[in-house]
Amino acid sequence: MIGQVLGHYRIDAKIGEGGMGVVYRARDEFLHRDVALKVLSKGTVPSDSTREYLLHEARSSSALSHPNICTIHEVGELNSELYIVMELVEGKPLSTLLAGEGLPVESVLRYGVQIASALSHSHGRSIIHRDLKSSNIMITSEGLVKVLDFGLAKRSEKDLLEGATQTIGPLDTAQGLTGTLQYMAPEILRGLETDHRIDIWALSVVLYEAACGQLPFKGRTAFEISSSILHDLPPQLPSRVPTGLWAIIQRCLAKEPAHRYQQAGEVQAALETVQSASKASPPASPADLRGPLTTVLRGMRHLTVKNGDVLLLVGTTKGAFLLRSKTSRSSWDVAGPYFHGNAIYALNYDNRQGRHRLWASTHTFWGTFLRSSDDFGKTWTNPQEANVKFPPDCGAALANIWQVSLGREDEPHTLYCGVEPAALFSSPDDGETWSLVRGLFDHPHRPRWLPGNGGLCLHTILLDPIDPKRMYVAISSAGVYRSDDAGQTWQARNSGIRVVHMPEKYPEFGQCVHKIVMHPSKPERLFLQNHWGLYRSDDAAANWQDIANGVPSDFGFTMVMHPHDPDTVFIVPIESDQFRCTPEGRLRVYRTRNAGRSWEPLTRGLPQKGAYETILRDAMTADSLDPAGIYFGTRNGELYGSIDDGKNWKKLLGGLPSIVCVKAVIVGEPHAAAKPRATAGAAAAAHRPKRSTANAKRRPAKRR
Amino acid sequence: MSVTIHIPGPLRDFSQQRGEVQLPGSPATLLEALQLLFAAHPGLRDRILNEDGQLRQHINIFVGNESIRYTGGLATHLPATATISIIPAISGGQ
């Protein structure tokens, strides 16, 4: 096979062989990447139905996208040979690391958490591994777990019990006993119905094996092993293994599936608890009492980030997730959830003056706090005092922080945040101190502003890149306000925007504006998604024109500006305020490329049936690469992305809590919104990432 | 003669990991007791009260077994020996 070409894969070297077939390192000649290519031996796939089943399983497994699962790129059949193309994982199987007494407890926990996380992800998508064992868990040199062969080992239990066919190796060969039988749950051996809990059993066998180097159930023959699995309790682990870990293993090895942890996520959480207990932080010294605490997040795999990488900051109602990709944006590492259980309504990345600071607004019933991280999430500040709060004379109390925005490039220490109840705060000193912008808070309109469904919130802040004194805010439900004197005074700018919830249809203020966007090369022009209505203004928000031309609904929440083209805007129409879902169950992004004269649906790769999704106002974003990456998250916790200006879409991640905000940033790149403009063309070019040897492969940016 | 406050798990980062804090002196009201608590553990203040001085919406405080919502709120009078519990309300999760 070496040197041969299978499809568009050139086979370079053999890297392994198992019962299922031979694994080669191969070169994908189309995408110019190295992959692992598994060619299934004919003997393992005896019948057409098994073959179809295997193809089906492999295809569904290819939908799995998780940092701890070896990604399946393609499944195919060529010259009657089945092959599977997958991510090339450079590492060692866990089984080869277990010689002697097993691994240090810390490693067992670290790997266990990642394996459980992989299982939790796949079980959430109804994919059962069915052949989890230490030899198909790879450990990379960075300590990252990659679980191989998801869903590939399904076979009928009847076949197995009769010893007729097994994907890994026949039971009755001499060395066959080292196969998978040792990892099989009792219900398989009994010929009973099985479900995802067989993976929880197998995970525990792996944990046991990792902890002491021995399998929990042994025997000289298949009969003895089966008998031990069915009847014996696992032998006590050595005393160096914490009782917490031993308890988890025992519970997963309950003979009755109903007595085990029922979900892999529960095993993961239990392992994490043992992990944090074994590394509890020492009590704070009295000197630490008043300064902000630093929360060190242990037991979580964090991102390794390089300059030029694309980061997606994803805020959900139950925590934040960070995704990282190279500029190719072909695969994403995922870390999180950060701020377990907190609602994260705003995230941002401050890279002015060489900083790498993430900001997060975190909200629980214990209050709302702005927290920052200078190491991409490994540690976060945890302020003693709420950093954003209303002055005592206001009679107002902070309910949430909806937006964190950066000041202009020439004010590198300035930050803004928009909050609920509607108000603007600014910080002159990198978020050390915050003060209420009184000009807006004391506006005579404010007592007559009305809260919308999301409360009365100031959710959008736009700085004019040319006029340093001009800025805009958008408030639900009050409308757009503009200041031309750096926030001292504010004027309502809603002329032409219709309201449906008041008797007067075109009031001066009171509009429920959901989002406004502006391109830095054309700051006098703004686009607006209203509670009902799509609008454009060509005169700095003085007047607005309806641009809902050819959209299935002009109701919606989110709106995103194209990073390079001031005529291109993306929205996701929602059926109505009564039924806040995508119309007809079809998930369609709409794009205008002529500043709203017409809109076209973008659907390729997005579900067009039964997709009742809601995309909230800050849940769509664009990166600044060319072609642009557009990303959005849904209230159902699905995250989609396109890397070609919206033409083709792919689900990047699913099963998250409700997604509230998504923000794409390029690591190390000057922040787009903060850059002053020299000329229109130069400004657009300046927002593209710097060319460097690291990303020289990307095609040159076009001038528009 | 002592007043003890039970600190819930999520707030222990701000009480030097203590689940129980014994207050000095003899506070006459719940508010006085909380002020003594906040003086020793300033990170607790903004997590229990908002900037308006009100108890946060989804947090309950009990003196003994009585919710202070029915005994005078923060002005609730304390007996000489009291156990105060700070507990998130069941309505807090969404």
Side-chain angles (χ1 to χ4, degrees), chain A residues 283-286 289-290 293 318 365-367 369 382-386 389-390 395-398, chain B residues 8 10-11 13-14 16 39-40 42-43 46-47 50-52 56 58-59 86 88 92-94:
Chain A
S285 67
L289 271 182
R290 289 192 183 262
L293 300 183
K318 292 293 167 197
F365 44 71
W366 304 110
F369 297 82
N382 198 1
Q384 300 262 356
E385 269 187 56
K389 54 169 105 170
F390 283 92
L398 184 74
Chain B
L11 293 192
D13 277 350
F14 298 95
Q16 296 175 288
D46 285 348
R47 287 168 173 81
N50 66 23
E51 60 263 59
D52 217 12
R56 288 196 175 279
H58 296 292
I59 294 167
I86 301 166
Q94 283 186 346

Side-chain angles (χ1 to χ4, degrees), chain A residues 519-587:
Chain A
H519 195 277
S521 72
K522 226 174 198 174
E524 70 286 359
R525 190 161 77 184
L526 291 96
F527 295 87
L528 182 152
Q529 171 71 66
N530 203 42
H531 186 83
W532 281 105
L534 281 165
Y535 296 91
R536 188 185 75 225
S537 169
D538 296 316
D539 52 9
N543 297 284
W544 296 90
Q545 293 88 44
D546 189 314
I547 54 165
N549 304 311
V551 287
S553 163
D554 64 357
F555 190 89
F557 294 101
T558 194
M559 180 176 246
V560 164
M561 191 78 229
H562 191 281
H564 312 307
D565 180 4
D567 291 337
T568 297
V569 173
F570 299 85
I571 55 168
V572 185
I574 296 297
E575 185 173 304
S576 69
D577 50 356
Q578 292 298 306
F579 187 74
R580 296 180 179 208
C581 295
T582 39
E584 302 151 44
R586 299 171 65 190
L587 182 49

Side-chain angles (χ1 to χ4, degrees), chain A residues 58-188:
Chain A
R59 281 182 189 128
S60 42
S61 305
S62 72
L64 295 177
S65 171
H66 187 278
N68 301 121
I69 295 176
C70 174
T71 308
I72 293 184
H73 297 313
E74 192 186 330
V75 186
E77 193 170 6
L78 202 70
N79 307 331
S80 78
E81 287 195 292
L82 282 184
Y83 66 89
I84 299 166
V85 183
M86 54 197 141
E87 179 187 355
L88 182 66
V89 178
E90 313 263 11
K92 288 184 177 165
L94 179 62
S95 52
T96 64
L97 305 174
L98 298 181
E101 295 189 336
L103 301 172
V105 168
E106 186 259 333
S107 303
V108 179
L109 291 167
R110 203 170 65 238
Y111 300 154
V113 165
Q114 296 179 60
I115 303 164
S117 167
L119 291 179
S120 175
H121 178 84
S122 77
H123 293 172
R125 283 145 195 81
S126 305
I127 295 172
I128 306 172
H129 190 295
R130 297 177 190 280
D131 193 23
L132 188 70
K133 54 184 175 174
S134 55
S135 61
N136 59 24
I137 295 165
M138 297 290 279
I139 310 293
T140 70
S141 51
E142 291 95 41
L144 180 64
V145 164
K146 290 275 185 184
V147 181
L148 308 182
D149 289 348
F150 250 93
L152 298 186
K154 165 70 180 174
R155 64 276 187 188
S156 95
E157 279 77 29
K158 185 171 166 287
D159 280 356
L160 173 79
L161 286 171
E162 288 170 0
T165 316
Q166 215 199 136
T167 49
I168 301 305
L171 270 178
D172 55 358
T173 58
Q175 77 278 35
L177 296 179
T178 58
T180 50
L181 177 60
Q182 290 88 338
Y183 298 84
M184 274 175 203
E187 60 269 30
I188 303 176

